[in-house]
Amino acid sequence: MSQKYRCADCHSKLPFDGYANLPKKCDYTGYYYCRDCHWGNLVPIPARILHNWDFEPRKVCRASKQFLRLMEKVPVLRIQDINPMLFSFVEELSRLEKLREEILIMKKYFLACKDALDSGILLQLSERQHFVDNSDMYSLRDLLDLEAGTLLDRIGEIHTLFAKHVKTDCKLCQAKGYICELCESHEVLFPFDTSAAVCEGCAAVFHWHCFKKTGRECPKCQRRSHREDDSANTKTQAN
């Protein structure tokens, strides 16, 4: 035993004098502990959740239980780095990621809106501040609530509230919408709309089906490219 037959926590000698007194293994650390340091507490293991979406509680030592409890609400898990395939296999996780990305887009409207700032609309996410700061960091509590079925509904409600402010309640935010120049529709679009596509080059917004028809060629970027080419040709001729 790499632990030299000593408890991984208190370092006392581990007994092997009968089944009732055998050392206990912690599922979080993988080490063995004496009975004073391992009471057989059951908790979900982050690694099992991230790799197998397995929330079954496992036996851990007292120190691991305390550590996991202290870290439960701390956003230290970047799933994209650990197991990006999880988004393909867990529909709820994929939907949550999309909601978070759209909330970050709406946040830009709120930061430029006096009414939104005065009302403190972003405080709706005060219990999960990282949802306002980024879209890729998760806490263990996020994943537990997602599996329990409570998180997605709550974030969906907040998303609806945010979208209502931008698209319906606030004239200032409404004025920052877009009109798709690829069709004759006068519908006002926003980057977080499910029917919208956003150009990666200039951030112009179009209907998704219109943008797809053009082969995702942005007319605004094309015009800019033509102007740059014309400018370059003019300078060449002048020389």
Side-chain angles (χ1 to χ4, degrees):
M1 182 184 288
S2 60
Q3 299 176 218
K4 299 181 179 179
Y5 300 98
R6 293 190 175 275
C7 173
D9 194 1
C10 70
H11 305 295
S12 63
K13 189 174 181 180
L14 292 173
F16 289 91
D17 54 352
Y19 179 78
N21 202 31
L22 287 176
K24 293 184 176 181
K25 185 177 182 179
C26 173
D27 198 81
Y28 179 70
T29 65
Y31 293 128
Y32 287 88
Y33 297 79
C34 67
R35 301 241 160 197
D36 289 334
C37 296
H38 195 318
W39 291 0
N41 298 113
L42 295 168
V43 298
I45 306 300
R48 293 185 182 275
I49 295 173
L50 292 170
H51 291 284
N52 301 309
W53 205 240
D54 177 5
F55 288 82
E56 181 181 348
R58 314 275 175 161
K59 292 181 179 181
V60 298
C61 66
R62 294 171 64 189
S64 292
K65 179 192 175 185
Q66 177 74 356
F67 174 75
L68 291 172
R69 186 184 68 81
L70 291 173
M71 294 295 292
E72 187 177 85
K73 294 184 178 181
V74 183
V76 294
L77 306 174
R78 191 171 189 272
I79 299 176
Q80 195 63 39
D81 289 343
I82 302 168
N83 183 14
M85 292 300 294
L86 204 58
F87 292 101
S88 300
F89 289 102
V90 182
E91 181 183 354
E92 294 82 2
L93 187 61
S94 178
R95 288 168 57 194
L96 179 60
E97 181 188 39
K98 183 169 178 55
L99 288 175
R100 291 184 62 180
E101 290 172 348
E102 292 172 355
I103 283 173
L104 287 183
I105 295 173
M106 287 186 265
K107 172 188 172 183
K108 296 177 182 178
Y109 285 80
F110 299 151
L111 293 179
C113 174
K114 184 178 184 301
D115 289 344
L117 292 174
D118 289 345
S119 67
I121 192 169
L122 286 172
L123 292 177
Q124 293 286 334
L125 288 168
S126 59
E127 293 184 0
R128 301 181 200 267
Q129 179 61 36
H130 52 292
F131 279 27
V132 177
D133 298 333
N134 59 71
S135 64
D136 57 357
M137 298 301 293
Y138 293 82
S139 68
L140 178 59
R141 173 46 54 189
D142 294 335
L143 302 182
L144 293 172
D145 289 346
L146 183 63
E147 173 65 9
T150 58
L151 180 58
L152 198 57
D153 288 344
R154 177 56 182 155
I155 300 303
E157 291 173 358
I158 294 174
H159 181 281
T160 300
L161 176 68
F162 285 3
K164 182 174 180 291
H165 171 91
V166 175
K167 302 178 69 172
T168 307
D169 296 344
C170 180
K171 298 299 182 182
L172 178 62
C173 291
Q174 285 180 49
K176 296 179 181 180
Y178 295 78
I179 299 295
C180 177
E181 67 172 281
L182 297 173
C183 67
E184 298 180 356
S185 172
H186 295 291
E187 176 189 8
V188 179
L189 293 172
F190 293 89
F192 53 84
D193 286 333
T194 55
S195 61
V198 181
C199 172
E200 295 182 357
C202 67
V205 180
F206 311 93
H207 288 111
W208 172 249
H209 60 272
C210 296
F211 197 47
K212 187 176 181 181
K213 286 180 181 178
T214 67
R216 302 185 184 183
E217 292 290 338
C218 173
K220 186 176 180 180
C221 288
Q222 289 179 332
R223 290 194 296 270
R224 182 173 62 186
S225 179
H226 291 327
R227 286 196 299 270
E228 291 174 351
D229 290 342
D230 291 342
S231 177
N233 290 334
T234 301
K235 290 181 179 178
T236 301
Q237 291 173 2
N239 293 332

